[in-house]
Amino acid sequence: ILGRPRPLSGHRRAAPSHHGCCVAYTLIWEEPEIPAEASFPWSPARPLANARAGWRGIVAWGLKIGDALTVSAAVILSFSFRVDDSFALSGFGSVPYWFLGVLTVLGWTVALGLAGSRSVRHLGAGLEEYRRVVTASLGLFGIWAIASYVLRASISRSLFVTALPLGVVLLLVFRWLVRQVIVNRRVAGQALVPTLLVGSASQITDILHSLNRHREAGYAPQGACVVGDGKASAGWGRDIVLHEKSELVAVASSGCYEAIIVGDGLSRSELRNLAWHLESSPIDLLFLPRLIDIAGPRLRVSDVEGLALMHVDLPRFSGWRLWLKRAFDIVFSGLALVALSPVFVVVAILIKMDDGGPVFFRQQRIGLRGQPIIVHKFRTMVVDAEAKIDKLIEAQGGHALLFKMEDDPRITGIGKILRKYSIDELPQFWSVLRGGMSVVGPRPQVAREVSEYTRVHYRRLLIKPGITGLWQINGRSELSLKESIRLDLRYVENWSLIGDIMIILKTIRVVLRPSGAY
């Protein structure tokens, strides 16, 4: 009894478990071995389960208090401009505005909670948290407007016009600040959720790499259950505990993991049995979609006579949504050109002082539906750079698609600085204003790259190329060819105006903290 439980048969354990759970699967007891340092940033030796319980409580209370203070500030600022101290309410006479302000603050705070905007699942990454904040705010003020009409309250409409947008902006800024704190902690290896991965060996490898690259998601892979004929990879690291498929239900319901990500390989009955054993538990059960890169807003589940069907909205590349995207591009690029004009002057002088060559670089790229466009950029290479590229491509293996070199000998001295902070991309706003490009979209490519496209790659041309995109905020030039193409195709399939705005905001952060740009 004084010893430690031996891991399940066939398991590898990097260190004694500190998850706060101990399940005896066998009557044989022994001391486990402690291997070398784990290769992943999250090690099962860390008490993640206990740490998560602590940070979840702190974040939950912090969000409640912060939401209340934020909406209070918005209401006070909006109500402070009122001349009258009260308003008339049918059947109740005169009601003071301070009472309405208190009700608004309480109702707003409660609405944010009922909408699930404080759910830990949505913190740290994605747009769902922000969407729920906006939905809860609009819903509350919609109820307020209906109530004031039914009760014939003579409430000033200016309160709704000022309090709602001011409160939404302050709430989004507050949630963004909280998100930065959570992301920084997760990158440092804290506030993570111990996670079990289930699927084929290759699928688990892909998930591990994705979670390792995107630690802000908050999932710390600590166990793996390989389904199928594949074998565990040595690249997984010695900190990943391996489990047999026959032991999946017991391991999942043991409490050692707080999230389970399931891929391919399990039958319908096995998935149902796993879900049943996790009922009434706080464990998150997540499934990798078999429809690759289809975003949630395009998926709808309906029940037809007891048959569950999943509806997938097909991507649309025409209509009012594209007109709205074009209107946003015109406004944004016009303002950007005006605001950045002083930067243009300084950069032009620096380029001229560097080698005396032309300031701008013009190049033909392939745009929407294969039509050629002219892209304008600040020149960062020597004047005869295009004449030297064929030899460089041949020296690097002969593949032109997404060709880039980290130490390209053609780049000038000032060009390295311009590329590092993506300043060379700024003249492309002129291409956006002319209509050949969009602010957000796939990376524009030259004809020699398009000539190597497969049938799948051609879908990148269904949307105008962009100055920034998912590739810009997910690794830039450090991405592999496969990952770059996948991100571009994902954007083409799931683009939205709200998503474009979030990509632009993330691009600003990436540019200020450059990594992977060359």
Side-chain angles (χ1 to χ4, degrees), residues 177-500:
L177 293 174
V178 173
R179 174 167 292 195
Q180 302 313 302
V181 174
I182 294 176
V183 169
N184 290 335
R185 291 197 62 188
R186 287 175 173 174
V187 171
Q190 304 172 348
L192 297 171
V193 179
T195 304
L196 172 67
L197 307 180
V198 182
S200 63
S202 60
Q203 195 174 49
I204 290 177
T205 300
D206 292 339
I207 299 173
L208 282 171
H209 290 165
S210 296
L211 294 179
N212 187 35
R213 188 169 61 250
H214 299 287
R215 302 180 197 176
E216 69 275 7
Y219 295 102
Q222 295 188 350
C225 178
V226 180
V227 179
D229 299 330
K231 296 182 180 180
S233 171
W236 292 2
R238 301 180 66 184
D239 55 332
I240 301 297
V241 182
L242 298 183
H243 304 285
E244 299 294 336
K245 180 181 178 181
S246 59
E247 303 161 341
L248 175 60
V249 172
V251 172
S253 56
S254 67
C256 292
Y257 302 100
E258 298 184 24
I260 301 174
I261 300 178
V262 181
D264 298 331
L266 296 182
S267 65
R268 181 177 179 180
S269 60
E270 289 172 333
L271 289 174
R272 182 175 55 188
N273 186 44
L274 175 62
W276 284 350
H277 279 81
L278 297 179
E279 288 179 353
S280 303
S281 70
I283 298 177
D284 294 332
L285 183 60
L286 304 95
F287 295 90
L288 289 178
R290 299 193 178 188
L291 296 172
I292 301 300
D293 291 333
I294 303 297
R298 289 180 54 197
L299 301 179
R300 293 178 292 107
V301 179
S302 63
D303 189 82
V304 182
E305 298 296 334
L307 178 63
L309 298 176
M310 179 175 291
H311 298 264
V312 180
D313 294 334
L314 300 179
R316 304 295 181 185
F317 303 106
S318 62
W320 67 270
R321 294 175 68 242
L322 276 180
W323 284 102
L324 186 61
K325 182 179 177 68
R326 178 57 186 155
F328 175 80
D329 286 340
I330 293 174
V331 174
F332 190 91
S333 59
L335 294 175
L337 288 172
V338 173
L340 296 171
S341 55
V343 178
F344 281 39
V345 174
V346 173
V347 173
I349 295 174
L350 293 176
I351 293 176
K352 277 293 184 181
M353 292 175 59
D354 187 55
D355 62 1
V359 173
F360 295 103
F361 171 71
R362 298 173 179 84
Q363 186 182 46
Q364 187 181 84
R365 301 286 181 98
I366 304 302
L368 178 65
R369 302 189 183 279
Q371 296 298 315
I373 61 173
I374 300 298
V375 172
H376 301 76
K377 302 176 69 173
F378 283 121
R379 185 176 60 85
T380 59
M381 294 186 175
V382 295
V383 177
D384 59 342
E386 285 299 296
K388 301 178 179 180
I389 190 171
D390 291 335
K391 292 184 179 180
L392 293 176
I393 293 176
E394 184 178 354
Q396 295 295 316
H399 298 290
L401 188 56
L402 295 181
F403 170 77
K404 266 200 172 184
M405 294 180 61
E406 185 171 0
D407 296 314
D408 197 318
R410 301 171 299 162
I411 300 177
T412 62
I414 186 63
K416 293 181 179 180
I417 300 176
L418 298 180
R419 283 173 170 253
K420 181 177 181 180
Y421 294 97
S422 298
I423 300 175
D424 61 314
E425 310 281 353
L426 297 181
Q428 292 186 49
F429 283 115
W430 174 245
S431 302
V432 174
L433 195 61
R434 295 181 61 187
M437 292 181 63
S438 179
V439 176
V440 182
R443 184 185 310 205
Q445 295 184 308
V446 297
R448 65 173 174 270
E449 294 177 305
V450 176
S451 65
E452 297 187 7
Y453 275 8
T454 65
R455 182 173 179 271
V456 174
H457 295 164
Y458 273 105
R459 291 190 63 82
R460 299 173 76 252
L461 304 179
L462 294 175
I463 290 290
K464 289 181 182 180
I467 300 176
T468 184
L470 291 177
W471 48 270
Q472 178 82 353
I473 62 176
N474 285 280
R476 305 168 83 173
S477 299
E478 291 181 345
L479 293 173
S480 65
L481 171 62
K482 177 182 177 182
E483 187 67 13
S484 298
I485 294 294
R486 188 188 71 82
L487 290 174
D488 279 344
L489 293 177
R490 178 179 177 84
Y491 176 80
V492 170
E493 297 287 338
N494 303 288
W495 73 271
S496 67
L497 185 58
I498 297 298
D500 285 0

